[in-house]
């Protein structure tokens, strides 16, 4: 199984030796790659819809991995048991759907689990959800594929109080620490997207509070670093 750069980026974040669950797997490329490369002893390939599950079954059958990869119909993690998988992959979905699926799965609040998240949009909402709900973003990756930049986050539940984060953190997260050309490009794209939104609001002369909020974020991004709540640092 040769993965595209985006899927390879996600697969490379899985910890060797664990059971991985790929939620919204579609073709099951990631679980097959994980088994074929002996990264995982077993995996779960799950999807909400029958069509993708059929794709997954056919690809897994062709790879001779029916015994190692459990194909399962599930809405998010609803039919995945807490003890069945350690690394949970949610890739190729919108950030809002990822947040919805994480929010209704209480057993993810366990520091032994890893969340490997690859939002196609609204990454800021995913980061904010994680930070507001006691999850720590451990690191982020970025890659180029077909002239687009994709990002992926690795997070886990922190068994400790978390600092508050500046709004700019929700937009660029741990990407500055990543330091690759793809990460830099994603930060630049994010700044461009925010700047466009500010211009549109300014020209239309609407939502001055939102424009001011976004302006402050754009200003902070170049010198971004985590900032603690005023009451924590005092
Ligand atoms: C665009 S595909 C992404 C496939 C693959 N993960 C990737 O990154 O290339 C999104 C998949 O998520 C599935 N999906 C959408 N909502 C879902 C849900 N609530 N629970 C599980 N899977 C879902 C869709 O059926 C589809 O197969």
């Amino acid at each position: 199984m040769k993965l595209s750069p985006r899927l390879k980026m996600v697969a490379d974040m899985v910890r060797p030796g664990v059971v991985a669950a790929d939620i919204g797997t579609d073709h099951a490329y990631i679980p097959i790659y994980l088994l074929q490369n002996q990264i995982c002893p077993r995996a779960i390939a799950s999807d909400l819809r029958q069509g993708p599950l059929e794709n997954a079954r056919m690809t897994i059958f062709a790879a001779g991995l029916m015994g190692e990869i459990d194909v399962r119909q599930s809405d998010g993690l609803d039919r995945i048991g807490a003890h069945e998988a350690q690394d949970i992959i949610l890739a190729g979905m919108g950030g809002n759907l990822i947040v919805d699926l994480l929010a209704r799965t209480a057993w993810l609040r366990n520091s032994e689990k890893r969340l490997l998240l690859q939002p196609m949009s609204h990454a800021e909402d995913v980061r904010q959800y994680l930070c507001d709900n006691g999850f720590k973003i451990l690191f982020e990756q970025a890659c180029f594929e077909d002239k687009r930049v994709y990002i992926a986050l690795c997070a886990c539940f922190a068994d400790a109080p978390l600092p508050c984060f500046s709004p700019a953190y929700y937009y660029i997260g741990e990407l500055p620490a990543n330091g690759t050309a793809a990460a830099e490009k994603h930060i630049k794209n994010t700044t461009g997207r925010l700047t466009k939104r500010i211009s549109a609001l300014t020209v239309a002369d609407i939502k001055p509070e939102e424009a001011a909020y976004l302006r402050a974020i754009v200003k902070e991004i170049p010198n971004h670093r985590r900032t603690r709540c005023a009451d924590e640092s005092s």
Side-chain angles (χ1 to χ4, degrees):
M1 175 62 61
K2 180 151 170 47
L3 295 181
S4 69
R6 177 179 66 84
L7 293 178
K8 174 93 166 44
M9 166 176 72
V10 177
D12 285 347
M13 293 165 96
V14 173
R15 293 172 292 175
V18 303
V19 177
D22 185 23
I23 312 300
T25 193
D26 194 356
H27 30 59
Y29 291 159
I30 292 180
I32 291 171
Y33 175 91
L34 294 172
L35 267 291
Q36 285 181 336
N37 290 279
Q38 282 131 36
I39 296 165
C40 296
R42 280 176 298 113
I44 299 170
S46 96
D47 206 286
L48 175 64
R49 298 185 295 120
Q50 275 298 343
L53 286 172
E54 277 315 306
N55 292 342
R57 272 194 200 95
M58 281 193 292
T59 335
I60 293 166
F61 181 77
L65 289 167
M66 289 304 274
E68 286 83 10
I69 303 178
D70 179 357
V71 180
R72 195 176 304 174
Q73 188 161 23
S74 173
D75 186 354
L77 290 121
D78 292 359
R79 295 193 59 235
I80 314 293
H83 302 292
E84 289 191 288
Q86 290 81 49
D87 284 15
I88 313 300
I89 300 163
L90 291 144
M93 296 176 180
N96 295 335
L97 177 58
I98 291 178
V99 167
D100 178 39
L101 301 184
L102 295 178
R104 61 183 209 228
T105 312
W107 60 259
L108 294 176
R109 296 188 175 93
N110 174 340
S111 59
E112 288 175 10
K113 308 288 182 191
R114 286 282 184 284
L115 305 180
L116 311 179
L117 312 174
Q118 195 277 300
M120 302 296 266
S121 63
H122 297 98
E124 63 275 14
D125 294 339
V126 176
R127 293 192 189 94
Q128 181 158 9
Y129 170 81
L130 293 170
C131 295
D132 288 354
N133 288 278
F135 292 90
K136 182 174 164 49
I137 301 172
L138 301 175
F139 63 93
E140 297 194 24
Q141 300 287 14
C143 74
F144 290 108
E145 183 178 313
D146 296 335
K147 296 188 183 157
R148 275 195 66 176
V149 191
Y150 296 94
I151 58 158
L153 296 75
C154 175
C156 77
F157 189 68
D159 262 341
L162 285 174
C164 291
F165 294 91
S166 70
Y169 184 75
Y170 302 143
Y171 282 86
I172 58 172
E174 295 293 333
L175 286 173
N178 180 275
T180 59
E184 288 307 317
K185 178 79 172 107
H186 196 274
I187 294 169
K188 202 171 156 202
N189 290 351
T190 301
T191 309
R193 180 164 59 88
L194 295 180
T195 306
K196 258 193 190 162
R197 172 80 183 151
I198 295 165
S199 299
L201 293 175
T202 310
V203 168
D205 199 17
I206 54 171
K207 301 189 179 177
E209 298 84 9
E210 183 185 338
Y213 174 76
L214 296 180
R215 231 176 256 118
I217 289 172
V218 168
K219 199 170 159 206
E220 194 192 337
I221 282 177
N223 309 312
H224 171 266
R225 72 182 66 87
R226 291 176 190 190
T227 49
R228 288 173 175 279
C229 280
D231 58 358
E232 258 191 321
S233 52
S234 61

